[in-house]
Each structure stands twice: as structure tokens, then as C-alpha cells.
Amino acid sequence: MRGPTAKSFKQGFLRSFLVSLKSCRNGDMSLQERKRAVRSSADAAMATARGGGAMWPQALLASSSSSPPTSSSWPRLLPTAAKVKTTRCKSTARRCCRPKRSSSEMIARRLVRKRTKILRGMVPGGELLDGVSLLREAMDYVVHLRAQVAVLRRVSNAMHHMAGAVAPRVQLKGETAQLSDGNQG
């Protein structure tokens, strides 16, 4: 992970996630509404814990604030978007002079374009990025998603252990009380 250490990210994520979950506590929520609330809490906490330096946290926070992400949301991206348009115009002019490509080369390019389009849809804010920036953002996003999964697994395991540990403790106290009463009588 670039920037902050994995441990500090996980701690910041957990802190933000728990605060966000507390604000979502509502007994009248359906299962689907709860799922959405947990997911949006996890996304907002991950974006907050990541901080600056990447575009996907800004895109996640913009989408959670119920406003659709636009190029005006991230002024830092505008020069990149303009650069891509200029590059496309030059490549169109060059295409006329190039020799014909082989069919395998054309298939490979089509496959790369198709996968890049899919990746743009998966990475928050990816629609506004050029190819190199998209790959950099995707790597950073995946690293932080893995850290998010690790933290959520620990939270889930702790909840299961707490739920399982409560019942036996109550039984043990009752059993020991019965044993001590039975020994005295």
C-alpha cells in the first residue's frame, strides 16, 4: 500500500466504519435497506480512511452524497481528460498512414479496449481517467478493498465469538451456582 501503512488504514477504516454504522441504526429498516446502509458505510469509511492522493475515494464520497459524479467534481482530472482527446485526434491522423494490422493484433486491441471499458466501470471515478491512471487507481483500489475485507472479516469473527461466548458464560454461571448449592445442601 502506498502512503499510510496498512495497519493505520485498517484502524482508520474501522473507526470510521463503526461511527458510520452507529448513525445508520434504525430498527425499522428492511434487510435490503440494512445491506445498503452497511455497504455505503463501508465505502464511505474506506474512502475517508484512504484520504487524498487517489481519485476513487473522491468518487466514492461523491456517490455517497447522492450527487452523480461529474468531471466538475474533480478539477484535477480535467487536464488529463483534455490530454486524452488530443491524443485521440493525433492517433486518428496517424492511422491513415499506418500499414494494415494483422487480425491477431486487431483482436488483441479489441480485447484490451473491452477490458479497459469494464475496468472503468468497476473503479469509482474510472470513467474520467486515461489508461495509465486507470491502472494505477485500480491497483490502489484493489489493495484497499482487500484491507477492507480483512477488517470486515475480523469484525464478523469477533461478533460471532461474542455471540457464541455469551450463551456458555450464562450457562456456566448457572451451573456453578447449582453445583455450589448442591454441595452445601
Side-chain angles (χ1 to χ4, degrees):
M1 224 184 265
R2 288 190 306 253
T5 64
K7 186 176 180 178
S8 67
F9 169 78
K10 288 178 181 179
Q11 289 173 345
F13 167 77
L14 184 60
R15 192 176 314 116
S16 298
F17 180 63
L18 293 176
V19 167
S20 183
L21 277 181
K22 283 181 184 176
S23 66
C24 294
R25 281 163 88 178
N26 185 355
D28 298 335
M29 295 175 98
S30 70
L31 181 63
Q32 291 300 322
E33 290 172 333
R34 263 188 209 161
K35 283 182 181 180
R36 273 182 286 217
V38 169
R39 183 175 182 180
S40 64
S41 296
D43 285 346
M46 185 171 70
T48 304
R50 171 59 172 94
M55 292 294 108
W56 63 263
Q58 295 174 23
L60 278 178
L61 291 173
S63 66
S64 68
S65 68
S66 73
S67 63
T70 61
S71 58
S72 62
S73 303
W74 306 298
R76 189 174 136 201
L77 287 178
L78 290 177
T80 307
K83 182 178 162 185
V84 171
K85 287 182 182 177
T86 306
T87 306
R88 286 185 183 156
C89 293
K90 287 179 184 176
S91 65
T92 305
R94 286 187 205 139
R95 197 177 299 148
C96 300
C97 304
R98 287 186 185 158
K100 297 261 180 180
R101 294 188 176 118
S102 67
S103 63
S104 61
E105 191 176 339
M106 290 177 67
I107 292 170
R109 286 187 181 276
R110 211 174 304 136
L111 188 61
V112 167
R113 255 187 254 118
K114 182 180 176 183
R115 290 182 178 173
T116 302
K117 183 178 178 181
I118 292 169
L119 187 61
R120 285 185 198 283
M122 293 174 73
V123 176
E127 311 86 29
L128 303 172
L129 299 172
D130 64 317
V132 175
S133 300
L134 177 66
L135 290 175
R136 189 177 302 119
E137 290 287 319
M139 288 187 305
D140 189 57
Y141 184 56
V142 168
V143 166
H144 285 82
L145 279 175
R146 291 180 89 185
Q148 178 189 40
V149 168
V151 171
L152 291 176
R153 276 192 181 138
R154 284 189 173 178
V155 169
S156 176
N157 288 339
M159 295 298 286
H160 285 290
H161 287 298
M162 285 175 50
V166 170
R169 285 185 188 160
V170 172
Q171 290 174 350
L172 287 176
K173 287 181 182 177
E175 288 174 4
T176 53
Q178 289 174 356
L179 287 176
S180 63
D181 291 339
N183 289 340
Q184 291 175 356

